[in-house]
Amino acid sequence: MPVFSLDPEQNEWCARLRALAVERLRPIAEKGEPGAVNRPLIAALGELGLLERLFGTGALELCLLRESLAQGCTEAETALALQGLGAYPLVLAGTGGQRARWLPEVRAGRAVAAFALSEPGAGSDAAALALRAVPDGEGWLLTGEKRWISNAPDADFYTVFARTDTGAGNRTGTGNGSSTGTGNGSSTGTGARGVTAFLVPADRPGLTGTSIEMLSPHPIGALAFDAVPVTRDDVLGEVDHGFRVAMGTLNLFRPSVGAFAVGMAQAALDAALEHTAERRAFGGPLSQLQSVAHQIAEMATRTEAARLLVYAAATAYDTGAPDVPRRSAMAKLFATETAQYVVDAAVQLHGARALQRGHPLEHLYREVRAPRIYEGATEVQRTIIARELYRPSRQDRQQGREQDREQDREQDREQGRERAWERGRAR
């Protein structure tokens, strides 16, 4: 992977996005009701053309978009990301009719999308999902529950993952995902089989939902499915292969969760720099205290390292590199952990004022915790990284075993030829 840097046009675009976030989007976000979908904010994202960019972009542009918005308005960043996560399965696997019905509305900010994968018993173990799709004539009836679903219960449609082949649920493998928020990480084992992705409009009979109050006031809720009817026209992709849709979506969005974290870390670092340069204590500005200066240096170094990991992972995705899973997991892991550290350190440098309700760092302190859990928790990312690192060794061992077996077979053939020769001499 070459050394990475942004070109002038990209830097200029990011600066414009940061200005838009502060000047246009933050005032709308501040008028929203905590824990509810802010439809005027989503409409503004559509009017500004940012939702259009969301669906015609690569991973790097998506990361720049999320990082820049996060620096100026985390609510706008989250609203944009959730639209992308909920609607990207249509881009990836939707039929012409499904796309024509919903994507123009999503791009314009008139329809709200949601990605419904997590369940009460299927978070990090994503392959353990239990929402059942029971055959019913030419379609199915969905029965069960989804939980920790972003934009629920206010979304206009949901990408819902349900088990259509109940026999595949008795698996021997393991799943890796997330336990909350906007989705799950990755999954292995036969439990991932037999799952189908459905596009379910919110007005389907039998579908109800409730809001869940969270630490950060995002729109998150639970969905109850009481024999909700779906047909083959509602299927996204292929029946029993819905995890391809889920993982295809999450593989694109996972590095950009790291970008969201980098944006928050940069906002906290900027606040800490300004505060420590101006705040006077012990006869001078805080910045002249070595302990404070060293803390700022550490925060800046970790933030830049996280940013480069995110950009490298996104570039790997865009270029089709073979090591995308490892790079994406590293980026998501390091960036979200770094953001937690940087925001916490910025709060410490500010003192009590940063804990006052309404302070920008108080807001970031509540925002920064969730990304370490959703779309693949920190522990899951470490599992993915280790699995990818050991994969070449496993392949080498498998190749070595094949070579050993071939050598054994050749030796058996040679011994057979020798025995035949000896029998011929005896005659």
Side-chain angles (χ1 to χ4, degrees):
M1 183 67 65
V3 175
F4 189 88
S5 63
L6 299 181
D7 60 39
E9 290 77 13
Q10 290 171 317
N11 282 314
E12 182 181 345
W13 183 59
C14 290
R16 291 199 304 271
L17 287 172
R18 291 192 294 270
L20 276 177
V22 173
E23 298 167 7
R24 296 282 301 276
L25 299 174
R26 188 189 292 172
I28 302 173
E30 291 173 347
K31 296 177 183 178
E33 180 184 349
V37 170
N38 188 332
R39 287 185 179 266
L41 180 60
I42 294 173
L45 291 169
E47 291 167 6
L48 293 170
L50 299 182
L51 293 176
E52 183 70 36
R53 294 291 292 263
L54 185 64
F55 297 108
T57 184
L60 178 58
E61 188 168 322
L62 175 60
C63 286
L64 297 179
L65 182 56
R66 293 189 67 175
E67 178 189 344
S68 301
L69 290 180
Q71 284 185 240
C73 180
T74 57
E75 295 93 340
E77 186 285 333
T78 299
L80 177 131
L82 297 183
Q83 283 287 88
L85 193 65
Y88 191 73
L90 276 88
V91 176
L92 192 65
T95 64
Q98 290 167 337
R99 292 172 181 167
R101 166 67 182 88
W102 289 108
L103 286 182
E105 297 297 299
V106 171
R107 289 189 175 105
R110 293 188 294 265
V112 176
F115 186 86
L117 179 58
S118 295
E119 298 179 5
S124 289
D125 189 0
L129 66 84
L131 181 73
R132 291 179 293 116
V134 180
D136 179 58
E138 296 298 314
W140 299 264
L141 298 176
L142 303 182
T143 301
E145 182 182 358
K146 293 291 183 181
R147 197 167 181 84
W148 321 118
I149 305 305
S150 294
N151 282 346
D154 300 327
D156 296 305
F157 70 91
Y158 300 89
T159 299
V160 178
F161 298 88
R163 191 166 295 285
T164 42
D165 181 359
T166 56
N170 299 320
R171 78 217 194 291
T172 57
T174 59
N176 295 314
S178 105
S179 56
T180 187
T182 54
N184 297 273
S186 68
S187 182
T188 59
T190 58
R193 303 170 192 159
V195 171
T196 301
F198 295 97
L199 192 159
V200 183
D203 59 0
R204 284 290 167 88
L207 176 58
T208 58
T210 56
S211 295
I212 301 174
E213 188 174 351
M214 305 293 287
L215 174 66
S216 184
H218 292 170
I220 293 179
L223 298 172
F225 295 79
D226 184 10
V228 175
V230 290
T231 69
R232 289 193 173 271
D233 290 338
D234 299 314
V235 173
L236 292 168
E238 301 177 51
V239 174
D240 292 338
H241 295 286
F243 254 89
R244 293 177 184 172
V245 179
M247 295 306 118
T249 300
L250 293 168
N251 285 340
L252 171 62
F253 277 85
R254 184 177 291 119
S256 72
V257 177
F260 173 38
V262 169
M264 289 190 287
Q266 187 64 55
L269 175 60
D270 291 344
L273 278 167
E274 182 179 357
H275 174 72
T276 54
E278 296 176 354
R279 170 71 167 159
R280 297 185 66 82
F282 309 108
L286 288 177
S287 59
Q288 290 184 358
L289 298 175
Q290 186 182 67
S291 60
V292 171
H294 284 188
Q295 178 72 79
I296 291 290
E298 183 69 18
M299 294 160 66
T301 301
R302 293 196 195 189
T303 300
E304 186 65 14
R307 178 178 288 113
L308 292 174
L309 269 176
V310 167
Y311 291 177
T315 302
Y317 181 96
D318 288 340
T319 57
D323 56 352
V324 169
R326 174 175 61 84
R327 287 187 177 276
S328 294
M330 286 179 170
K332 203 269 185 182
L333 165 67
F334 190 79
T336 55
E337 293 291 329
T338 292
Q340 181 82 56
Y341 165 81
V342 172
V343 171
D344 185 73
V347 168
Q348 191 72 15
L349 290 171
H350 276 73
R353 60 176 48 80
L355 299 177
Q356 184 175 342
R357 181 69 71 178
H359 191 280
L361 285 174
E362 179 269 339
H363 175 77
L364 286 176
Y365 201 71
R366 288 183 290 115
E367 287 272 12
V368 78
R369 187 60 184 86
R372 293 172 61 203
I373 298 175
Y374 65 60
E375 294 190 43
T378 288
E379 294 75 14
V380 168
Q381 302 310 319
R382 291 192 176 108
T383 298
I384 294 171
I385 293 164
R387 184 180 67 206
E388 292 299 314
L389 289 172
Y390 281 113
R391 189 183 300 278
S393 298
R394 290 197 297 269
Q395 292 173 344
D396 291 344
R397 287 195 296 270
Q398 178 66 25
Q399 186 177 5
R401 286 192 291 269
E402 289 293 337
Q403 291 175 346
D404 290 343
R405 284 194 286 268
E406 180 58 32
Q407 289 175 356
D408 290 342
R409 288 192 289 268
E410 180 59 32
Q411 187 174 11
D412 290 342
R413 288 192 292 267
E414 181 63 27
Q415 290 173 350
R417 287 192 291 268
E418 290 178 355
R419 288 194 292 271
W421 185 76
E422 289 291 341
R423 288 194 295 271
R425 287 187 61 190
R427 287 196 295 268

